Amino acid sequence: MEKKIEAGVFIPTVRSGWVHSTNAPHTPGSFKHALEVTRLAEYLGFDFVLSPQNWRGAQGPHRFWGDTVDSIAAAGALTQATDRINVWCTAHVSVHKPATIAKIVASLSEIGDGRIGLNVVTGGNYMQLYPLGFWDDMGHDERYDMAEDWVSVIRKYWSEEVVTHDGPYFKADGGILSPRPAKRPTLVNAGASPRGLKFAVDSCDIAFLMGGGDAKFVEQAKLAKQLAKDRNKPDFKVFGAMTIIPGETDEAAQELLEHLEVGADLVGLADLASGYQKNTKGFDKLSASSLAPLGGADYKAVMPGAIVGSYENLASKIAKQVNEADLDGILIIVPDYISHLNQLGTRTLPRLADFGIECSVGRTTAVPNSVVVE
Ligand SMILES: Cc1cc2nc3c(=O)[nH]c(=O)nc-3n(C[C@H](O)[C@H](O)[C@H](O)COP(=O)(O)O)c2cc1C
């Protein structure tokens, strides 16, 4: 086999996940559902799950992200309900002090026997953060400067007995965190901007890029690898986040995509975009466009770059992106996290081997009772 990748699932601890349509399968944003999806992912052979952190839902008919379970709290419980799969949670740098997250994630590492990772996010949507008192009044790039300092404090707490730190944003004077994690938790980031990508390479282990198979995606993946090479970080990894719209046939998958777009929650998408427009340091167009294309009627229920096709044909499409962008891993997003995930895990991802890609998903063919949804 030429290439080995890790495979993960972006689990929907947020209502509606990442398909913002009134025609989408019901995804409640409950812990119970996230647990079912995580157990299914583990059973199918996935290497990790990642849960997002979100502080305010959109105000449209679908109420997407309106109900959420806290990503960090869920991680502890998910490790206790599983045996093998890695569980990565998310924290915003402007919401928590670094020492708080260092302690919580060190505890999660003990609880989960080292199967823990942390997705570091800077936020940037005014309406997601301001109402709860989390808006820091920083510009986009400055928030990444803060994130760098934030992560360096956390790394110190995880590796040094007594921490002294005099950074531009955070201080520590003889800080002690005990016990320190036996194995350093994985640090990941999904910045899409040049500053975000630099932060990922400088401060984290993995960069998540929103897959799309277009030239820009491949270029960005190569840039991340080049930055890592320049910094002598040969173990740095680049993963592609892929929204997959599957069907029994290519036509059925295309029909599902069209059905989802007919029900696009335009009010909710506009509400989400307006959160970026209200930023006190100027409209954060880049972050906004990574979530939804801007411009009224152009709002889409499904993120740009989704891979659409039959369970059979999807394997070659996923493999093409992995090979062209030289990805080290993939993160799956689907409309239906039980039936679609089960089919992809048993029928599509095992076929990556036909394209020279080794991936641990697909050792089974049926869903066990413990993961069947009611
Ligand atoms: C896989 C993935 C996971 C993300 N998780 C979160 C999250 O949980 N919370 C959040 O506020 N933003 C999240 N984001 C948004 C990114 O952290 C980032 O802000 C966005 O891609 C824009 O990039 P930029 O910050 O470099 O402008 C995620 C993005 C991706 C692609």
Side-chain angles (χ1 to χ4, degrees):
M1 206 70 70
E2 287 156 35
K3 189 166 181 60
K4 190 171 192 306
I5 58 162
E6 287 173 53
V9 180
F10 203 8
I11 55 170
T13 47
V14 293
R15 178 186 163 87
S16 124
W18 294 271
V19 176
H20 306 316
S21 167
T22 48
N23 289 341
H26 181 53
T27 302
S30 66
F31 177 72
K32 190 177 174 211
H33 185 58
L35 175 63
E36 284 167 336
V37 175
T38 302
R39 282 184 171 151
L40 175 59
E42 175 167 74
Y43 184 79
L44 292 168
F46 280 90
D47 300 289
F48 69 96
V49 290
L50 168 68
S51 69
Q53 188 70 285
N54 204 282
W55 294 100
R56 173 186 177 269
Q59 309 295 300
H62 201 219
R63 286 189 56 246
F64 68 82
W65 304 349
D67 300 317
T68 64
V69 57
D70 179 80
S71 172
I72 303 169
L78 292 174
T79 60
Q80 290 304 288
T82 50
D83 298 317
R84 179 194 56 77
I85 199 161
N86 291 306
V87 179
W88 298 346
C89 56
T90 299
H92 286 79
V93 296
S94 53
V95 171
H96 308 275
K97 293 247 169 81
T100 314
I101 288 298
K103 181 70 187 169
I104 291 172
V105 176
S107 301
L108 287 176
S109 177
E110 184 183 327
I111 294 165
D113 213 7
R115 291 186 286 127
I116 278 292
L118 177 66
N119 175 29
V120 181
V121 296
T122 50
N125 185 308
Y126 181 78
M127 285 312 292
Q128 295 283 325
L129 297 169
Y130 169 78
L132 291 113
F134 296 146
W135 187 249
D136 54 25
D137 212 28
M138 286 181 190
H140 175 275
D141 286 8
E142 189 190 357
R143 203 173 289 111
Y144 275 107
D145 296 343
M146 176 172 77
E148 243 164 49
D149 200 27
W150 194 85
V151 170
S152 61
V153 176
I154 290 177
R155 282 176 176 270
K156 283 188 184 177
Y157 276 114
W158 287 347
S159 62
E160 296 175 13
E161 211 163 301
V162 180
V163 173
T164 302
H165 183 85
D166 187 16
Y169 299 91
F170 302 105
K171 316 269 177 227
D173 186 7
I176 293 173
L177 188 153
S178 185
R180 298 192 299 278
K183 178 180 158 228
R184 180 175 66 69
T186 305
L187 289 162
V188 312
N189 172 259
S193 59
R195 183 66 188 92
L197 204 60
K198 183 179 169 297
F199 165 74
V201 177
D202 284 339
S203 299
C204 303
D205 305 304
I206 299 171
F208 278 103
L209 302 178
M210 209 61 222
D214 56 1
K216 193 174 158 243
F217 165 61
V218 174
E219 224 173 82
Q220 248 199 328
K222 288 196 171 147
L223 176 63
K225 284 276 169 82
Q226 187 56 49
L227 288 174
K229 202 170 163 207
D230 296 346
R231 286 155 174 74
N232 198 22
K233 289 184 80 174
D235 296 333
F236 188 80
K237 293 177 180 161
V238 178
F239 286 16
M242 298 178 178
T243 304
I244 296 180
I245 308 295
E248 285 303 324
T249 60
D250 283 347
E251 294 71 31
Q254 190 58 40
E255 270 169 33
L256 172 59
L257 177 66
E258 281 158 24
H259 180 61
L260 293 169
E261 291 304 344
V262 167
D265 182 354
L266 301 180
V267 178
L269 287 162
D271 179 61
L272 184 64
S274 79
Y276 290 103
Q277 263 140 0
K278 291 188 178 114
N279 281 5
T280 45
K281 291 286 157 107
F283 175 37
D284 191 350
K285 188 169 178 190
L286 195 93
S287 296
S289 63
S290 73
L291 295 168
L294 300 171
D298 283 345
Y299 289 128
K300 296 286 184 215
V302 175
M303 275 187 282
I307 310 177
V308 186
S310 69
Y311 290 109
E312 201 183 337
N313 290 340
L314 279 168
S316 70
K317 295 182 182 183
I318 295 170
K320 187 166 181 282
Q321 292 203 15
V322 169
N323 286 328
E324 282 182 2
D326 190 19
L327 299 178
D328 304 295
I330 57 174
L331 176 72
I332 301 290
I333 296 166
V334 278
D336 186 321
Y337 275 92
I338 300 298
S339 72
H340 290 159
L341 195 63
N342 189 34
Q343 300 294 329
L344 283 175
T346 51
R347 295 167 63 187
T348 304
L349 297 184
R351 296 196 55 242
L352 290 179
D354 298 348
F355 303 92
I357 297 167
E358 188 185 336
C359 144
S360 57
V361 181
R363 298 194 196 103
T364 185
T365 51
V367 187
N369 287 336
S370 62
V371 297
V372 167
V373 232
E374 288 158 19

